[in-house]
Amino acid sequence: LASLPELDEASLLDGLRERFLRQQVYTAVGDILIAMNPFQPLPLYGSEVSERYRHHQTGSLSPHIFGVASRAYHAMLGHRGGGPQSQCIVI
């Protein structure tokens, strides 16, 4: 969504609707992760999914809460270069 030529309310809601219909409940807008309730069980949280996001490069996988957690954890430990950095995640 961050790459849209114009990010207004209508284009944001349309993009979220399209992703929801494809059962893609996570959407990234820059550093912000939008999560939508799928109203049904989806295979999003198993150990296999968690492992994929453990050491992924930003942008190489679809947006997911595991990706946010991995980036925050590695930045906190200083693994991304530049030394350890405090992290905050708002839910």
Side-chain angles (χ1 to χ4, degrees):
L1 290 177
S3 63
L4 290 172
E6 187 173 326
L7 185 59
D8 58 12
E9 183 178 357
S11 60
L12 175 69
L13 292 175
D14 187 51
L16 291 174
R17 181 180 179 278
E18 287 178 24
R19 292 183 62 79
F20 180 83
L21 293 174
R22 292 192 312 255
Q23 295 185 329
Q24 295 174 317
V25 297
Y26 292 116
T27 303
V29 182
D31 289 338
I32 298 170
L33 180 71
I34 299 172
M36 296 177 284
N37 185 344
F39 300 103
Q40 62 180 311
L42 295 175
L44 296 174
Y45 305 108
S47 58
E48 180 181 306
V49 177
S50 174
E51 193 58 37
R52 270 188 279 161
Y53 284 89
R54 189 172 303 250
H55 298 290
H56 81 287
Q57 293 292 324
T58 301
S60 64
L61 296 173
S62 59
H64 197 286
I65 191 66
F66 289 161
V68 171
S70 178
R71 285 191 307 276
Y73 177 73
H74 290 289
M76 179 181 69
L77 296 178
H79 292 168
R80 303 280 188 218
Q85 298 175 343
S86 296
Q87 299 295 302
C88 176
I89 298 175
V90 178
I91 299 175

Coordinates of all heavy atoms in Angstrom, one line a residue:
L1 N 0.8 -1.2 0.0 CA 0.0 0.0 0.0 C 0.9 1.3 0.0 O 0.4 2.3 -0.5 CB -0.9 0.0 1.2 CG -2.1 -1.0 1.2 CD1 -2.9 -1.0 2.5 CD2 -3.0 -0.8 0.0
A2 N 2.0 1.2 0.6 CA 2.9 2.4 0.6 C 3.4 2.8 -0.7 O 3.8 3.9 -0.9 CB 4.1 2.1 1.6
S3 N 3.3 1.8 -1.7 CA 3.8 2.2 -3.1 C 2.7 2.7 -4.0 O 3.0 3.0 -5.1 CB 4.4 0.9 -3.7 OG 3.4 -0.1 -3.9
L4 N 1.5 2.9 -3.4 CA 0.4 3.5 -4.2 C 0.8 4.9 -4.6 O 1.4 5.6 -3.8 CB -0.9 3.5 -3.5 CG -1.5 2.1 -3.3 CD1 -2.7 2.2 -2.3 CD2 -2.0 1.5 -4.6
P5 N 0.4 5.4 -5.8 CA 0.7 6.8 -6.2 C 0.0 7.8 -5.2 O 0.5 8.8 -5.0 CB 0.2 6.9 -7.6 CG -0.6 5.7 -7.9 CD -0.3 4.7 -6.8
E6 N -1.2 7.4 -4.7 CA -1.9 8.3 -3.8 C -2.5 7.4 -2.7 O -3.3 6.5 -3.0 CB -3.0 9.1 -4.5 CG -3.6 10.1 -3.6 CD -4.6 11.0 -4.4 OE1 -4.3 11.3 -5.6 OE2 -5.6 11.4 -3.8
L7 N -2.1 7.6 -1.5 CA -2.6 6.8 -0.4 C -3.7 7.7 0.3 O -3.4 8.4 1.2 CB -1.5 6.4 0.6 CG -1.9 5.5 1.7 CD1 -2.5 4.2 1.2 CD2 -0.7 5.2 2.6
D8 N -4.9 7.5 -0.1 CA -6.0 8.1 0.6 C -6.9 7.1 1.2 O -6.7 5.9 1.1 CB -6.8 9.1 -0.4 CG -7.3 8.3 -1.6 OD1 -7.3 7.1 -1.6 OD2 -7.8 9.0 -2.5
E9 N -8.0 7.5 1.8 CA -8.9 6.6 2.5 C -9.5 5.5 1.6 O -9.5 4.3 1.9 CB -10.0 7.3 3.3 CG -10.9 6.4 4.1 CD -12.0 7.2 4.8 OE1 -12.0 8.4 4.8 OE2 -12.8 6.5 5.5
A10 N -10.0 6.0 0.4 CA -10.6 5.1 -0.5 C -9.6 4.0 -1.0 O -10.0 2.8 -1.1 CB -11.2 5.9 -1.7
S11 N -8.4 4.4 -1.4 CA -7.5 3.4 -2.0 C -7.0 2.5 -0.9 O -6.8 1.3 -1.1 CB -6.3 4.1 -2.6 OG -5.6 5.0 -1.7
L12 N -6.9 3.0 0.4 CA -6.5 2.2 1.5 C -7.5 1.1 1.8 O -7.2 -0.1 1.8 CB -6.2 3.0 2.7 CG -5.9 2.2 4.0 CD1 -4.5 1.6 3.9 CD2 -6.0 3.1 5.2
L13 N -8.8 1.5 1.9 CA -9.9 0.6 2.1 C -10.0 -0.4 1.0 O -10.3 -1.6 1.2 CB -11.2 1.3 2.4 CG -11.2 2.1 3.7 CD1 -12.5 2.9 3.8 CD2 -11.0 1.2 4.9
D14 N -9.9 0.0 -0.3 CA -10.0 -0.9 -1.4 C -8.9 -1.9 -1.4 O -9.1 -3.1 -1.6 CB -9.9 -0.1 -2.7 CG -10.2 -1.0 -3.9 OD1 -11.2 -1.7 -3.9 OD2 -9.4 -0.9 -4.9
G15 N -7.6 -1.5 -1.1 CA -6.5 -2.4 -1.0 C -6.7 -3.4 0.1 O -6.4 -4.6 0.0
L16 N -7.2 -3.0 1.3 CA -7.4 -3.9 2.4 C -8.5 -4.9 2.1 O -8.4 -6.1 2.4 CB -7.8 -3.1 3.6 CG -6.7 -2.3 4.3 CD1 -7.2 -1.4 5.4 CD2 -5.5 -3.2 4.7
R17 N -9.6 -4.4 1.4 CA -10.7 -5.3 1.0 C -10.2 -6.4 0.0 O -10.5 -7.6 0.2 CB -11.8 -4.5 0.3 CG -13.0 -5.4 -0.1 CD -14.1 -4.5 -0.8 NE -15.2 -5.3 -1.2 CZ -15.2 -5.9 -2.3 NH1 -14.2 -5.9 -3.2 NH2 -16.3 -6.6 -2.7
E18 N -9.4 -6.0 -1.0 CA -8.8 -7.0 -1.9 C -8.0 -8.1 -1.2 O -8.1 -9.2 -1.5 CB -8.0 -6.3 -3.0 CG -8.8 -5.5 -4.0 CD -7.9 -4.8 -5.0 OE1 -6.8 -5.3 -5.2 OE2 -8.4 -3.8 -5.5
R19 N -7.1 -7.6 -0.3 CA -6.3 -8.6 0.4 C -7.1 -9.5 1.4 O -6.9 -10.6 1.5 CB -5.2 -7.8 1.2 CG -4.2 -7.1 0.3 CD -3.1 -6.4 1.1 NE -2.4 -7.3 2.0 CZ -1.4 -8.1 1.6 NH1 -1.0 -8.1 0.3 NH2 -0.7 -8.9 2.4
F20 N -8.1 -8.9 2.0 CA -9.0 -9.7 2.9 C -9.7 -10.8 2.1 O -9.8 -11.9 2.5 CB -10.1 -8.8 3.5 CG -11.0 -9.5 4.4 CD1 -10.6 -9.8 5.7 CD2 -12.2 -9.9 4.0 CE1 -11.5 -10.5 6.6 CE2 -13.1 -10.6 4.8 CZ -12.7 -10.9 6.1
L21 N -10.2 -10.5 0.9 CA -10.9 -11.5 0.0 C -9.9 -12.6 -0.4 O -10.4 -13.7 -0.7 CB -11.5 -10.8 -1.2 CG -12.7 -9.9 -0.8 CD1 -13.2 -9.1 -2.1 CD2 -13.8 -10.6 -0.2
R22 N -8.6 -12.3 -0.5 CA -7.6 -13.3 -0.8 C -7.1 -14.0 0.5 O -6.1 -14.7 0.4 CB -6.5 -12.7 -1.6 CG -6.9 -12.2 -3.0 CD -5.6 -11.9 -3.8 NE -4.7 -11.0 -3.1 CZ -4.5 -9.7 -3.4 NH1 -5.2 -9.1 -4.3 NH2 -3.6 -9.0 -2.7
Q23 N -7.7 -13.7 1.6 CA -7.3 -14.3 2.9 C -5.9 -13.9 3.3 O -5.2 -14.6 4.0 CB -7.5 -15.8 3.0 CG -8.9 -16.3 2.8 CD -9.0 -17.7 3.0 OE1 -8.1 -18.5 2.7 NE2 -10.2 -18.2 3.5
Q24 N -5.5 -12.7 2.9 CA -4.2 -12.1 3.3 C -4.6 -11.0 4.4 O -4.9 -9.9 4.0 CB -3.5 -11.4 2.1 CG -3.1 -12.5 1.1 CD -2.5 -11.8 -0.2 OE1 -3.0 -10.8 -0.6 NE2 -1.4 -12.4 -0.7
V25 N -4.6 -11.5 5.6 CA -5.1 -10.6 6.7 C -4.1 -9.6 7.2 O -4.4 -8.7 8.0 CB -5.7 -11.5 7.8 CG1 -6.9 -12.3 7.3 CG2 -4.6 -12.4 8.4
Y26 N -2.8 -9.8 6.8 CA -1.8 -8.8 7.2 C -1.4 -7.9 6.0 O -1.2 -8.4 4.9 CB -0.5 -9.5 7.7 CG -0.7 -10.2 9.0 CD1 -0.6 -11.6 9.1 CD2 -1.0 -9.5 10.2 CE1 -0.8 -12.2 10.4 CE2 -1.2 -10.1 11.4 CZ -1.1 -11.5 11.5 OH -1.3 -12.1 12.7
T27 N -1.3 -6.6 6.2 CA -0.9 -5.7 5.2 C 0.1 -4.7 5.8 O -0.1 -4.2 6.9 CB -2.2 -4.9 4.7 OG1 -3.1 -5.8 4.2 CG2 -1.8 -4.0 3.6
A28 N 1.1 -4.5 5.0 CA 2.2 -3.5 5.5 C 2.0 -2.2 4.8 O 1.7 -2.1 3.6 CB 3.6 -4.1 5.2
V29 N 2.1 -1.1 5.6 CA 2.1 0.2 5.1 C 3.3 0.8 5.6 O 3.3 1.4 6.8 CB 0.8 1.0 5.5 CG1 0.9 2.4 4.9 CG2 -0.4 0.3 5.0
G30 N 4.4 0.7 4.9 CA 5.7 1.2 5.5 C 6.1 0.3 6.7 O 6.1 -0.9 6.6
D31 N 6.4 0.9 7.8 CA 6.7 0.1 9.0 C 5.5 -0.3 9.8 O 5.6 -0.9 10.9 CB 7.6 1.0 9.9 CG 9.0 1.1 9.4 OD1 9.4 0.3 8.5 OD2 9.7 2.1 9.7
I32 N 4.3 0.0 9.3 CA 3.0 -0.3 10.0 C 2.5 -1.6 9.5 O 2.4 -1.7 8.3 CB 2.0 0.9 9.9 CG1 2.6 2.1 10.5 CG2 0.7 0.5 10.5 CD1 1.8 3.4 10.2
L33 N 2.1 -2.5 10.4 CA 1.4 -3.7 10.0 C -0.1 -3.6 10.4 O -0.4 -3.4 11.5 CB 2.0 -4.9 10.7 CG 1.4 -6.3 10.3 CD1 1.8 -6.7 8.9 CD2 1.9 -7.3 11.3
I34 N -0.9 -3.7 9.4 CA -2.4 -3.7 9.6 C -2.8 -5.2 9.7 O -2.6 -6.0 8.8 CB -3.1 -3.0 8.5 CG1 -2.7 -1.5 8.5 CG2 -4.6 -3.1 8.7 CD1 -3.2 -0.7 7.3
A35 N -3.6 -5.5 10.7 CA -4.1 -6.9 10.9 C -5.6 -6.9 10.9 O -6.2 -6.0 11.6 CB -3.6 -7.5 12.2
M36 N -6.2 -7.7 10.0 CA -7.7 -7.8 10.0 C -8.1 -9.1 10.5 O -7.5 -10.1 10.3 CB -8.1 -7.6 8.5 CG -7.8 -6.3 7.9 SD -8.3 -6.2 6.2 CE -7.0 -7.1 5.4
N37 N -9.3 -9.1 11.2 CA -9.8 -10.4 11.7 C -10.4 -11.2 10.6 O -11.3 -10.7 9.9 CB -10.9 -10.1 12.7 CG -11.5 -11.3 13.4 OD1 -11.3 -12.4 12.9 ND2 -12.2 -11.1 14.5
P38 N -9.9 -12.4 10.3 CA -10.4 -13.2 9.2 C -11.7 -13.8 9.4 O -12.3 -14.4 8.5 CB -9.3 -14.2 9.0 CG -8.7 -14.4 10.3 CD -8.8 -13.1 11.0
F39 N -12.2 -13.8 10.7 CA -13.5 -14.5 11.1 C -13.5 -15.9 10.7 O -14.6 -16.5 10.5 CB -14.7 -13.7 10.4 CG -14.7 -12.3 10.9 CD1 -14.4 -11.3 10.0 CD2 -15.2 -12.0 12.1 CE1 -14.4 -10.0 10.4 CE2 -15.3 -10.6 12.6 CZ -14.9 -9.6 11.7
Q40 N -12.4 -16.6 10.6 CA -12.3 -18.0 10.4 C -10.8 -18.5 10.7 O -9.9 -17.6 10.6 CB -12.6 -18.4 8.9 CG -11.6 -17.7 7.9 CD -12.0 -18.1 6.5 OE1 -12.2 -19.2 6.2 NE2 -12.0 -17.0 5.6
P41 N -10.6 -19.7 11.0 CA -9.3 -20.2 11.3 C -8.5 -20.2 10.0 O -9.0 -20.7 9.0 CB -9.5 -21.6 11.8 CG -10.9 -21.7 12.2 CD -11.7 -20.7 11.3
L42 N -7.2 -19.7 10.1 CA -6.3 -19.8 8.9 C -5.0 -20.3 9.4 O -4.6 -20.1 10.5 CB -6.1 -18.4 8.3 CG -7.3 -17.7 7.7 CD1 -6.9 -16.3 7.3 CD2 -7.8 -18.5 6.5
P43 N -4.3 -21.0 8.5 CA -3.0 -21.6 9.0 C -1.9 -20.6 9.0 O -0.9 -20.7 8.2 CB -2.8 -22.7 7.9 CG -3.4 -22.2 6.7 CD -4.6 -21.4 7.2
L44 N -1.9 -19.7 9.9 CA -1.0 -18.6 9.9 C 0.1 -18.6 11.0 O 1.0 -17.8 11.0 CB -1.7 -17.2 10.1 CG -2.7 -16.8 9.0 CD1 -3.5 -15.6 9.4 CD2 -1.9 -16.6 7.7
Y45 N -0.1 -19.5 12.0 CA 0.8 -19.4 13.2 C 1.5 -20.7 13.6 O 2.0 -20.7 14.7 CB -0.1 -18.9 14.4 CG -0.8 -17.7 14.0 CD1 -2.2 -17.7 13.8 CD2 -0.1 -16.5 13.9 CE1 -2.9 -16.5 13.5 CE2 -0.8 -15.3 13.6 CZ -2.2 -15.3 13.4 OH -2.8 -14.2 13.0
G46 N 1.6 -21.6 12.7 CA 2.4 -22.9 13.1 C 3.9 -22.6 13.2 O 4.4 -21.6 12.8
S47 N 4.6 -23.7 13.7 CA 6.0 -23.6 13.8 C 6.7 -23.4 12.5 O 7.8 -22.7 12.4 CB 6.6 -24.8 14.6 OG 6.2 -26.0 13.9
E48 N 6.2 -24.0 11.4 CA 6.8 -23.9 10.1 C 6.7 -22.4 9.6 O 7.7 -21.9 9.1 CB 6.0 -24.8 9.1 CG 6.6 -24.7 7.7 CD 5.8 -25.6 6.7 OE1 5.7 -26.8 7.0 OE2 5.3 -25.1 5.7
V49 N 5.6 -21.8 9.8 CA 5.4 -20.3 9.5 C 6.4 -19.5 10.3 O 7.1 -18.6 9.8 CB 4.0 -19.9 9.6 CG1 3.8 -18.4 9.3 CG2 3.0 -20.7 8.8
S50 N 6.4 -19.8 11.6 CA 7.3 -19.0 12.5 C 8.8 -19.1 12.0 O 9.5 -18.1 12.0 CB 7.2 -19.5 13.9 OG 8.1 -18.9 14.8
E51 N 9.2 -20.3 11.6 CA 10.6 -20.5 11.2 C 10.9 -19.7 9.9 O 12.0 -19.2 9.8 CB 10.8 -22.0 11.0 CG 12.3 -22.4 10.9 CD 13.1 -22.0 12.1 OE1 12.6 -22.0 13.2 OE2 14.3 -21.5 11.9
R52 N 10.0 -19.7 9.0 CA 10.2 -18.9 7.8 C 10.5 -17.4 8.1 O 11.3 -16.8 7.4 CB 9.0 -19.0 6.9 CG 9.0 -20.1 5.9 CD 7.9 -20.0 4.9 NE 6.7 -20.5 5.6 CZ 5.5 -20.3 5.2 NH1 5.2 -19.6 4.2 NH2 4.5 -20.8 5.9
Y53 N 9.8 -16.9 9.1 CA 10.0 -15.5 9.4 C 11.2 -15.2 10.3 O 11.5 -14.0 10.6 CB 8.7 -14.9 9.9 CG 7.7 -14.7 8.8 CD1 6.8 -15.7 8.5 CD2 7.6 -13.4 8.2 CE1 5.9 -15.5 7.5 CE2 6.7 -13.2 7.2 CZ 5.8 -14.3 6.8 OH 4.9 -14.1 5.8
R54 N 11.8 -16.2 10.9 CA 12.8 -16.0 11.9 C 14.0 -15.2 11.4 O 14.5 -14.3 12.1 CB 13.3 -17.4 12.4 CG 14.2 -17.2 13.6 CD 14.5 -18.6 14.2 NE 13.2 -19.2 14.5 CZ 12.8 -19.5 15.8 NH1 13.5 -19.1 16.8 NH2 11.6 -20.0 16.0
H55 N 14.5 -15.5 10.2 CA 15.6 -14.8 9.7 C 15.4 -14.2 8.2 O 16.3 -14.2 7.5 CB 16.9 -15.7 9.7 CG 17.2 -16.2 11.0 ND1 17.8 -15.3 12.0 CD2 17.1 -17.4 11.6 CE1 18.0 -16.0 13.1 NE2 17.6 -17.3 12.9
H56 N 14.2 -13.8 7.9 CA 13.9 -13.4 6.6 C 14.4 -12.0 6.4 O 14.6 -11.2 7.3 CB 12.4 -13.5 6.3 CG 11.6 -12.3 6.8 ND1 11.4 -12.1 8.2 CD2 11.0 -11.3 6.2 CE1 10.7 -11.0 8.4 NE2 10.5 -10.5 7.2
Q57 N 14.6 -11.6 5.1 CA 14.9 -10.2 4.7 C 13.6 -9.5 4.6 O 12.7 -10.0 4.0 CB 15.7 -10.2 3.4 CG 17.1 -10.9 3.5 CD 18.0 -10.0 4.4 OE1 18.0 -8.8 4.4 NE2 18.9 -10.7 5.1
T58 N 13.6 -8.2 5.0 CA 12.4 -7.4 4.9 C 12.0 -7.3 3.4 O 12.8 -7.1 2.6 CB 12.7 -6.0 5.4 OG1 13.1 -6.1 6.8 CG2 11.5 -5.1 5.3
G59 N 10.7 -7.6 3.2 CA 10.2 -7.6 1.8 C 10.3 -8.9 1.1 O 9.7 -9.0 0.0
S60 N 11.0 -9.9 1.6 CA 11.1 -11.1 0.9 C 9.9 -12.1 1.1 O 9.7 -13.0 0.4 CB 12.4 -11.9 1.3 OG 12.4 -12.2 2.7
L61 N 9.2 -11.9 2.2 CA 8.0 -12.6 2.5 C 6.8 -11.7 2.7 O 7.0 -10.5 2.9 CB 8.1 -13.4 3.8 CG 9.2 -14.5 3.8 CD1 9.4 -15.1 5.2 CD2 8.8 -15.6 2.8
S62 N 5.6 -12.2 2.6 CA 4.4 -11.4 2.8 C 4.3 -10.8 4.2 O 4.9 -11.4 5.1 CB 3.1 -12.1 2.4 OG 3.0 -13.3 3.2
P63 N 3.7 -9.7 4.4 CA 3.6 -9.1 5.8 C 3.0 -10.1 6.8 O 2.1 -10.9 6.5 CB 2.7 -7.9 5.6 CG 2.7 -7.6 4.1 CD 2.9 -8.9 3.4
H64 N 3.6 -10.1 8.0 CA 3.1 -11.1 9.0 C 3.6 -10.6 10.4 O 4.6 -9.9 10.5 CB 3.7 -12.5 8.8 CG 3.0 -13.6 9.5 ND1 3.1 -13.8 10.8 CD2 2.1 -14.5 9.1 CE1 2.4 -14.8 11.2 NE2 1.8 -15.3 10.1
I65 N 2.9 -10.9 11.4 CA 3.3 -10.5 12.8 C 4.6 -11.1 13.2 O 5.4 -10.5 13.9 CB 2.1 -10.8 13.8 CG1 2.4 -10.1 15.2 CG2 1.9 -12.3 14.0 CD1 2.4 -8.7 15.2
F66 N 4.9 -12.3 12.7 CA 6.2 -12.9 13.0 C 7.3 -12.1 12.4 O 8.4 -12.1 12.9 CB 6.2 -14.4 12.4 CG 5.3 -15.4 13.2 CD1 5.0 -16.6 12.6 CD2 4.9 -15.1 14.5 CE1 4.2 -17.5 13.3 CE2 4.1 -16.0 15.1 CZ 3.7 -17.2 14.6
G67 N 7.1 -11.5 11.2 CA 8.1 -10.7 10.6 C 8.4 -9.4 11.5 O 9.6 -9.0 11.7
V68 N 7.3 -8.8 12.0 CA 7.5 -7.7 12.9 C 8.3 -8.1 14.1 O 9.2 -7.4 14.5 CB 6.1 -7.1 13.3 CG1 6.3 -6.0 14.4 CG2 5.4 -6.5 12.1
A69 N 7.9 -9.2 14.7 CA 8.6 -9.7 15.9 C 10.1 -10.0 15.6 O 11.0 -9.6 16.4 CB 7.9 -10.9 16.5
S70 N 10.4 -10.6 14.5 CA 11.8 -10.9 14.2 C 12.6 -9.7 14.0 O 13.7 -9.6 14.5 CB 11.8 -11.8 12.9 OG 13.1 -12.1 12.5
R71 N 12.1 -8.7 13.2 CA 12.8 -7.4 13.0 C 13.1 -6.7 14.3 O 14.2 -6.2 14.6 CB 12.1 -6.5 12.0 CG 12.2 -7.0 10.6 CD 11.6 -5.9 9.6 NE 10.3 -5.4 9.9 CZ 9.2 -6.0 9.5 NH1 9.2 -7.2 8.9 NH2 8.0 -5.5 9.9
A72 N 12.1 -6.6 15.2 CA 12.2 -6.0 16.5 C 13.3 -6.7 17.3 O 14.1 -6.1 18.0 CB 10.9 -5.9 17.2
Y73 N 13.2 -8.0 17.4 CA 14.1 -8.8 18.2 C 15.6 -8.6 17.7 O 16.5 -8.4 18.5 CB 13.7 -10.3 18.1 CG 14.7 -11.2 18.9 CD1 14.7 -11.2 20.3 CD2 15.5 -12.0 18.2 CE1 15.5 -12.0 21.0 CE2 16.4 -12.9 18.9 CZ 16.4 -12.9 20.3 OH 17.2 -13.7 21.0
H74 N 15.8 -8.7 16.4 CA 17.2 -8.6 15.9 C 17.7 -7.1 16.0 O 18.9 -7.0 16.3 CB 17.2 -9.1 14.5 CG 17.1 -10.5 14.4 ND1 18.1 -11.4 14.8 CD2 16.0 -11.3 13.9 CE1 17.7 -12.7 14.6 NE2 16.4 -12.6 14.1
A75 N 16.8 -6.1 15.9 CA 17.3 -4.8 16.1 C 17.6 -4.5 17.6 O 18.6 -3.8 17.9 CB 16.2 -3.8 15.7
M76 N 16.8 -5.1 18.5 CA 17.1 -5.0 19.9 C 18.4 -5.6 20.3 O 19.1 -5.0 21.1 CB 16.0 -5.7 20.7 CG 16.1 -5.7 22.2 SD 14.8 -6.6 23.1 CE 15.2 -8.2 22.6
L77 N 18.8 -6.7 19.7 CA 20.1 -7.3 19.9 C 21.2 -6.7 19.2 O 22.4 -7.0 19.4 CB 20.0 -8.8 19.6 CG 19.0 -9.6 20.4 CD1 19.1 -11.1 20.0 CD2 19.4 -9.5 21.9
G78 N 20.9 -5.8 18.2 CA 22.0 -5.1 17.4 C 22.4 -6.0 16.3 O 23.5 -5.7 15.7
H79 N 21.7 -7.0 15.8 CA 22.1 -7.8 14.7 C 21.9 -7.1 13.4 O 22.5 -7.6 12.4 CB 21.2 -9.1 14.7 CG 21.5 -10.0 15.8 ND1 20.7 -11.1 16.1 CD2 22.5 -10.0 16.8 CE1 21.2 -11.7 17.2 NE2 22.3 -11.1 17.6
R80 N 21.3 -6.0 13.3 CA 21.1 -5.3 12.0 C 22.1 -4.2 11.8 O 22.1 -3.5 10.9 CB 19.7 -4.6 12.0 CG 18.5 -5.6 12.2 CD 18.2 -6.3 11.0 NE 17.0 -7.1 11.2 CZ 16.8 -8.3 10.6 NH1 17.7 -8.8 9.9 NH2 15.6 -8.9 10.8
G81 N 23.1 -4.2 12.7 CA 24.2 -3.2 12.6 C 23.9 -2.0 13.3 O 22.7 -1.7 13.6
G82 N 24.9 -1.3 13.8 CA 24.6 0.0 14.5 C 24.4 -0.2 16.0 O 24.1 0.8 16.6
G83 N 24.5 -1.4 16.5 CA 24.4 -1.6 17.9 C 22.9 -1.8 18.3 O 22.0 -1.6 17.5
P84 N 22.7 -2.3 19.5 CA 21.4 -2.5 20.0 C 20.5 -1.3 20.0 O 21.0 -0.2 20.3 CB 21.6 -3.0 21.5 CG 23.0 -3.5 21.5 CD 23.8 -2.6 20.5
Q85 N 19.2 -1.5 19.7 CA 18.3 -0.3 19.7 C 17.0 -0.7 20.5 O 16.5 -1.9 20.3 CB 17.9 0.0 18.3 CG 19.0 0.4 17.4 CD 18.6 0.7 15.9 OE1 17.6 0.2 15.5 NE2 19.4 1.4 15.2
S86 N 16.5 0.2 21.3 CA 15.3 -0.1 22.0 C 14.2 -0.2 20.9 O 14.2 0.4 19.9 CB 14.9 1.1 22.9 OG 15.9 1.2 23.9
Q87 N 13.2 -1.1 21.3 CA 12.1 -1.4 20.3 C 10.7 -1.2 21.0 O 10.6 -1.3 22.3 CB 12.2 -2.8 19.8 CG 13.4 -3.1 19.0 CD 13.5 -2.3 17.8 OE1 12.7 -2.4 16.9 NE2 14.6 -1.5 17.6
C88 N 9.7 -0.9 20.3 CA 8.4 -0.7 20.8 C 7.4 -1.2 19.7 O 7.5 -0.9 18.6 CB 8.1 0.8 21.1 SG 6.4 1.0 21.6
I89 N 6.5 -2.1 20.2 CA 5.4 -2.6 19.3 C 4.1 -2.2 19.9 O 3.8 -2.6 21.0 CB 5.5 -4.1 19.1 CG1 6.9 -4.4 18.4 CG2 4.3 -4.6 18.2 CD1 7.1 -5.9 18.3
V90 N 3.2 -1.5 19.1 CA 1.9 -1.1 19.6 C 0.9 -2.0 19.0 O 0.9 -2.1 17.7 CB 1.6 0.4 19.3 CG1 0.2 0.8 19.7 CG2 2.7 1.3 19.9
I91 N 0.0 -2.6 19.8 CA -1.0 -3.5 19.3 C -2.3 -2.8 19.6 O -2.6 -2.5 20.7 CB -0.9 -4.9 19.9 CG1 0.4 -5.5 19.5 CG2 -2.0 -5.7 19.4 CD1 0.7 -6.8 20.2

